[in-house]
Amino acid sequence: MNYKRLLFCLFTGFTVATSPAFAFQELQPSDDYVQVSKEIVEILEGTHYNKPSINDQISELAFEDYLDALDPTKSFFLQNDINALSVYKQRFDDAIKSGDTQVAYTIYNLYLKRVEERLTNLENNLPAMLEGFDYTLDESLDLDSEHYTWAKSKQEQDETWRKRLKNRALTLRLNGETAEAISEVLTSRFKNQLKRIHQTDAVDVYQIFVNSITAALDPHSSYFAPRASETFNINMSLSLEGIGAVLQMEDDYTKVVRLIPGGPASAKGELSPNDKIVGVAQEGEEMINVVGMRLDDVVDKIRGERGTTVTLEIIPSKGTGQTSKRIQIVREKVKLEDQSAKKEVVEVTRGDETYKVGVIELPTFYSDFAAQQAGDKNYKSSTKDTKKLIEELRKEGIVALILDLRNNGGGSLQEANSLTGLFIPSGPTVQIQDQNGRITPLGDRDPKIAYSGPLAVLTNRMSASASEIVAGALQDYGRALILGGQTFGKGTVQALQEVDKGQLKITQAKFYRVSGETTQHKGVVPDIIFPSVFDTEKVGESSLDRPLPWDKIHETRYPIYWDIPAYLPILEPRHQTRMAKDPDFIALNDQIAEFKENEDKYKTLSLNENTRIQLNEETEKRELDRENARRAALGLEAIASVDDIEPTDKLVYSKEAAEILLDFIATNQLAEQEKAQQEQAN
């Protein structure tokens, strides 16, 4: 008998079950993947942008990434385990080069044993532990991942698990669940975790191992084993009928990475990046707990026939991050037309005049390549559709135009190039540098311009890749005011390469602006920044592990149309003055300030029930008061509950962008008048 463990059990009020005969089966590498490993090394060393040498340095990084992939919250391994496993730190490179990947399976099998021990013990002792929890005690749980360390003893690990379990039980209790339901939900979670572990096969372990190698190179290179490769291809083709969300595993939770523009989840407006999905229910069926479930199994439950409804139980990323809510989404197929460019007109009144400013929202850079290759002159593309909308807006009498690239994650490079050409005569738009240092400029060869008037581009932190090329080019040319948020910072190019079993997505090139600056890591910084709920330290390329750095090459030759920086000392103060009076921006700035103020507070979570209730009530009251203050300022009727809060009109940003454009026009006209007067005087 482990006396330390017995002592812990006596203090926490549960008894030790007899040591179970663990049913786990050790996994071993497959001979089928020996050649695949050698093939992967050849591709990585031969075609990756950084021309890496898979050596001991890469091995040490891969070792850390592999442990982090297996046990991200440091919940199962002990420090003694890590010390023992450290002999493998410099063997990962040898393993993948030789094809003998036994080292990965040796580590995994120890992890499997630790998980079996922990989860089986928890499942056996769960009723007694739940009964013994005292929610009046003033104790807390540290949620800051930067503070996670490997437990030095079993007793220390037991205490961490006790607090985590108490937090999960308290969260369910605060959501109105009965003691019986709490026990059932938590038991289900542990069974799901065990089931997920038991369903892991040798190929899954191999994929984790290879991705620890690719992650040591950059965050976008990765290996897809056959099953994962099939899922990846489905997502890339957008032929999936579902909710239109990209998901990933984080700890034991399924986390929303981003929403696909035009998809059901994006249109619904209740699901956000970083939300955690804890339950899924089909129409007319009970909610199934998915914490600890394999990601592909969770995705299978969310997918379904179009027109059917799926209910998700989520823990929203905003707020305390601990109270769950349920949302319903009708599954639909994400179609090309749902992501097509759309137009809007914003009217701004100044004095006795009302001015029309056109807005073109572009969710992605798309092109129906199949129809184009088939000779269909009416094929859809983002450039053709945008040009058509510009013509329609000009007929409506717009005085300025806004290109809305918020949440546009990229798409066709060819389309980004040609769409930029709608606003400039022929000239370069982007430079691409490959792993050999060869620089290939891309540009618009069509001297025709679809629109030559005042232009603004709206961006945010989710504007990435092709969006950054367009925004960067128009900023460098002085052709448009860039407004909104700093873009994502993804300035690398990936290519898919087939291997004997699966696919390898590998970073092979880098984007550079015509000014010579790369969009990588830094993104495009707006001329005027709007407030944003996106935290640039947590979202974007710079928040990822080992992103390729920002750098600069030589600039190309290009004209500058307007000296935008010269206008900013006039435009910026006027923008700030308007924001200070605008009810929507006041509410948004208050919300952002509250998030920042509470960021440290939510890293430590109280396990006292009354404290948690008070925290949730205070949070909801502040949110409701803020919304009703906004509504009162706008002359709208007050609401009684935070559940009645609807997403703020997305045109709020467009309206302010329109105001800035009118300021720009007025400033430019005044400058031209002064110039003309000076010329006459001379």
Side-chain angles (χ1 to χ4, degrees):
M1 172 68 71
N2 183 321
Y3 289 100
K4 286 187 178 179
R5 188 166 164 221
L6 176 59
L7 185 64
F8 171 74
C9 296
L10 290 173
F11 275 110
T12 52
F14 66 85
T15 58
V16 178
T18 56
S19 297
F22 294 113
F24 74 87
Q25 302 245 340
E26 291 194 348
L27 298 178
Q28 300 298 328
S30 168
D31 292 338
D32 294 341
Y33 284 80
V34 172
Q35 190 56 40
V36 177
S37 295
K38 296 177 181 178
E39 190 178 352
I40 287 172
V41 171
E42 183 179 350
I43 294 173
L44 290 176
E45 292 189 334
T47 65
H48 190 278
Y49 183 81
N50 280 344
K51 291 187 174 180
S53 175
I54 309 300
N55 53 23
D56 286 348
Q57 184 180 1
I58 296 296
S59 180
E60 291 184 8
L61 294 173
F63 174 78
E64 298 295 336
D65 285 337
Y66 188 66
L67 292 178
D68 189 55
L70 295 180
D71 194 1
T73 57
K74 295 180 169 57
S75 300
F76 300 105
F77 284 130
L78 293 171
Q79 184 62 58
N80 286 341
D81 293 328
I82 302 304
N83 294 341
L85 294 174
S86 293
V87 298
Y88 301 120
K89 266 189 176 183
Q90 295 186 352
R91 298 190 191 176
F92 274 46
D93 57 329
D94 301 322
I96 195 167
K97 284 179 177 179
S98 66
D100 180 3
T101 56
Q102 180 61 53
V103 58
Y105 294 83
T106 299
I107 296 172
Y108 182 82
N109 287 330
L110 177 60
Y111 165 73
L112 181 61
K113 180 181 179 182
R114 295 290 180 258
V115 174
E116 282 269 9
E117 290 171 348
R118 172 59 59 188
L119 296 185
T120 303
N121 187 284
L122 282 168
E123 190 178 343
N124 290 339
N125 294 289
L126 184 62
M129 291 182 74
L130 292 175
E131 189 175 338
F133 285 150
D134 182 354
Y135 299 109
T136 65
L137 293 178
D138 286 326
E139 55 182 356
S140 59
L141 175 66
D142 190 350
L143 298 178
D144 190 350
S145 59
E146 293 183 3
H147 294 167
Y148 292 164
T149 57
W150 305 109
K152 294 180 176 60
S153 67
K154 188 75 160 48
Q155 186 176 5
E156 181 184 335
Q157 192 181 69
D158 287 343
E159 176 64 4
T160 300
W161 269 101
R162 182 189 70 81
K163 286 187 175 183
R164 288 178 180 173
L165 184 64
K166 185 176 182 179
N167 175 54
R168 292 179 182 182
L170 179 55
T171 299
L172 292 168
R173 181 182 170 104
L174 293 175
N175 285 334
E177 300 288 355
T178 64
E180 182 180 359
I182 291 171
S183 181
E184 289 177 0
V185 168
L186 294 178
T187 299
S188 172
R189 289 184 181 181
F190 295 137
K191 286 182 176 178
N192 279 341
Q193 284 182 272
L194 279 170
K195 182 181 178 183
R196 183 180 63 156
I197 291 296
H198 289 149
Q199 289 176 338
T200 302
D201 58 25
V203 176
D204 294 323
V205 175
Y206 180 78
Q207 180 173 271
I208 298 170
F209 166 70
V210 174
N211 280 325
S212 71
I213 301 286
T214 61
L217 305 180
D218 80 280
H220 299 294
S221 294
S222 55
Y223 166 70
F224 302 101
R227 182 181 179 185
S229 178
E230 180 183 354
T231 300
F232 176 77
N233 290 336
I234 288 174
N235 288 336
M236 287 299 288
S237 67
L238 294 180
S239 62
L240 171 66
E241 290 183 354
I243 65 171
V246 178
L247 310 174
Q248 72 177 32
M249 286 299 296
E250 183 177 272
D251 304 339
D252 294 322
Y253 293 94
T254 299
K255 187 182 81 169
V256 178
V257 178
R258 65 181 177 89
L259 304 179
I260 297 173
S266 177
K268 180 80 172 177
E270 293 185 86
L271 196 65
S272 302
N274 295 324
D275 287 352
K276 295 175 181 176
I277 300 174
V278 297
V280 180
Q282 313 302 330
E283 283 187 74
E285 298 182 11
E286 293 185 359
M287 183 70 63
I288 296 175
N289 191 290
V290 297
V291 177
M293 191 177 290
R294 282 177 62 117
L295 178 62
D296 43 17
D297 289 335
V298 178
V299 171
D300 286 343
K301 292 185 183 302
I302 295 175
R303 288 176 184 167
E305 294 182 7
R306 63 182 306 176
T308 59
T309 300
V310 61
T311 301
L312 304 180
E313 182 173 356
I314 65 168
I315 297 178
S317 57
K318 300 171 185 175
T320 64
Q322 291 301 316
T323 305
S324 66
K325 70 174 185 177
R326 296 186 177 186
I327 60 175
Q328 291 187 330
I329 301 175
V330 178
R331 299 178 177 104
E332 291 292 344
K333 187 172 182 178
V334 181
K335 306 171 188 174
L336 189 61
E337 53 264 35
D338 292 332
Q339 301 196 54
S340 298
K342 299 176 180 64
K343 70 171 182 174
E344 196 92 38
V345 173
V346 173
E347 293 188 349
V348 179
T349 300
R350 292 194 170 187
D352 296 330
E353 293 287 332
T354 297
Y355 301 92
K356 292 183 178 180
V357 177
V359 181
I360 295 179
E361 180 186 357
L362 190 63
T364 187
F365 291 90
Y366 55 88
S367 181
D368 190 343
F369 293 112
Q372 184 180 5
Q373 291 173 354
D376 184 352
K377 295 182 179 180
N378 295 318
Y379 72 91
K380 286 186 68 64
S381 83
S382 52
T383 302
K384 289 179 64 176
D385 291 349
T386 299
K387 184 178 180 181
K388 179 181 177 183
L389 294 178
I390 288 173
E391 292 170 355
E392 293 175 2
L393 288 168
R394 290 179 68 177
K395 290 178 181 177
E396 294 182 47
I398 63 168
V399 297
L401 179 67
I402 299 167
L403 180 63
D404 189 349
L405 298 183
R406 288 176 298 168
N407 303 315
N408 183 321
S412 167
L413 174 60
Q414 177 183 322
E415 283 298 310
N417 180 56
S418 59
L419 189 133
T420 304
L422 295 178
F423 306 105
I424 61 172
S426 57
T429 58
V430 66
Q431 303 179 81
I432 303 173
Q433 180 170 270
D434 66 17
Q435 68 270 29
N436 295 316
R438 288 190 298 261
I439 299 173
T440 304
L442 294 182
D444 171 49
R445 296 182 179 180
D446 186 352
K448 296 178 182 177
I449 299 177
Y451 178 77
S452 60
L455 176 68
V457 178
L458 266 177
T459 61
N460 65 5
R461 195 58 169 168
M462 301 310 291
S463 305
S465 196
S467 295
E468 298 176 281
I469 291 172
V470 174
L474 295 177
Q475 186 178 54
D476 289 339
Y477 273 85
R479 182 62 191 86
L481 280 157
I482 310 302
L483 310 173
Q486 183 178 358
T487 61
F488 192 91
K490 184 183 181 298
T492 55
V493 185
Q494 286 72 41
L496 275 178
Q497 293 201 25
E498 299 288 335
V499 293
D500 184 44
K501 296 188 182 298
Q503 294 175 305
L504 191 65
K505 179 163 68 79
I506 183 169
T507 298
Q508 291 187 333
K510 211 169 177 181
F511 290 130
Y512 291 84
R513 295 163 60 158
V514 294
S515 62
E517 299 179 358
T518 181
T519 54
Q520 170 62 16
H521 200 286
K522 185 177 177 181
V524 177
V525 179
D527 299 307
I528 296 178
I529 296 176
F530 287 7
S532 172
V533 295
F534 291 112
D535 186 340
T536 55
E537 293 184 4
K538 295 181 179 179
V539 179
E541 186 80 6
S542 58
S543 70
L544 304 178
D545 291 333
R546 305 181 195 101
L548 269 62
W550 180 93
D551 62 345
K552 189 173 182 179
I553 59 175
H554 62 76
E555 66 177 20
T556 60
R557 296 181 64 183
Y558 59 95
I560 295 179
Y561 292 87
W562 279 302
D563 182 10
I564 297 294
Y567 290 82
L568 299 183
I570 297 173
L571 303 182
E572 178 73 38
R574 294 181 182 180
H575 160 66
Q576 294 294 340
T577 300
R578 276 191 300 271
M579 274 208 312
K581 299 176 182 178
D582 187 293
D584 288 311
F585 279 112
I586 291 171
L588 180 60
N589 279 316
D590 183 59
Q591 184 183 38
I592 294 168
E594 184 181 329
F595 285 162
K596 291 181 178 178
E597 180 185 338
N598 293 333
E599 190 172 11
D600 289 334
K601 182 193 298 185
Y602 294 148
K603 287 180 179 178
T604 302
L605 194 62
S606 173
L607 299 179
N608 180 292
E609 184 171 18
N610 288 334
T611 301
R612 285 277 281 275
I613 290 173
Q614 183 180 354
L615 177 63
N616 288 336
E617 287 177 349
E618 288 175 354
T619 301
E620 287 194 2
K621 184 179 185 303
R622 282 196 301 270
E623 190 174 352
L624 186 61
D625 288 347
R626 179 168 51 238
E627 173 62 13
N628 280 330
R630 183 187 76 87
R631 297 176 70 88
L634 293 172
L636 301 174
E637 188 177 339
I639 57 174
S641 168
V642 292
D643 294 332
D644 298 327
I645 296 177
E646 297 180 354
T648 305
D649 184 0
K650 66 180 181 180
L651 281 179
V652 168
Y653 291 89
S654 300
K655 290 174 182 175
E656 176 55 23
E659 293 277 10
I660 292 173
L661 278 172
L662 291 180
D663 286 342
F664 174 77
I665 292 171
T667 304
N668 189 56
Q669 288 175 343
L670 182 61
E672 288 181 352
Q673 289 172 4
E674 290 176 350
K675 183 180 178 181
Q677 290 172 358
Q678 189 174 14
E679 288 177 351
Q680 287 178 354
N682 293 334

